[in-house]
Amino acid sequence: MTVMDDWVTAACAELGLDPVDVPVPTVLDLAKDVAHQVLRPGAPVTAYLFGVAVGRGADPADAAARLSALAGTWPVELGGERPE
């Protein structure tokens, strides 16, 4: 197991969740997209919003894809941090 696996397992136990239901790679990719294409502090906030949406029944893959697409089209003039 990795440190991430250990952390997710412990955090899930604390919250009464099943670690199998946590799409870690999806969340990390989404956070990366927002951090690099919008702004860094937006990554954890977006991860929270993603979790709320999934908790309310949204499909995780669809919600992540929609948010990543939104980040990819975020205008630079609104603060987007485009890689050079």
Side-chain angles (χ1 to χ4, degrees):
M1 288 186 86
T2 66
V3 174
M4 178 65 80
D5 294 331
D6 292 342
W7 169 251
V8 170
T9 299
C12 283
E14 188 67 27
L15 298 173
L17 301 172
D18 186 345
V20 173
D21 296 330
V22 181
V24 172
T26 300
V27 175
L28 293 176
D29 286 344
L30 173 59
K32 175 192 64 156
D33 290 344
V34 173
H36 291 211
Q37 298 173 348
V38 183
L39 78 159
R40 290 186 190 282
V45 174
T46 302
Y48 173 81
L49 295 172
F50 170 78
V52 170
V54 170
R56 291 183 179 174
D59 175 70
D62 178 61
R66 291 173 58 195
L67 290 170
S68 288
L70 178 62
T73 62
W74 197 252
V76 173
E77 60 270 11
L78 293 180
E81 298 174 359
R82 299 288 187 255
E84 311 238 352

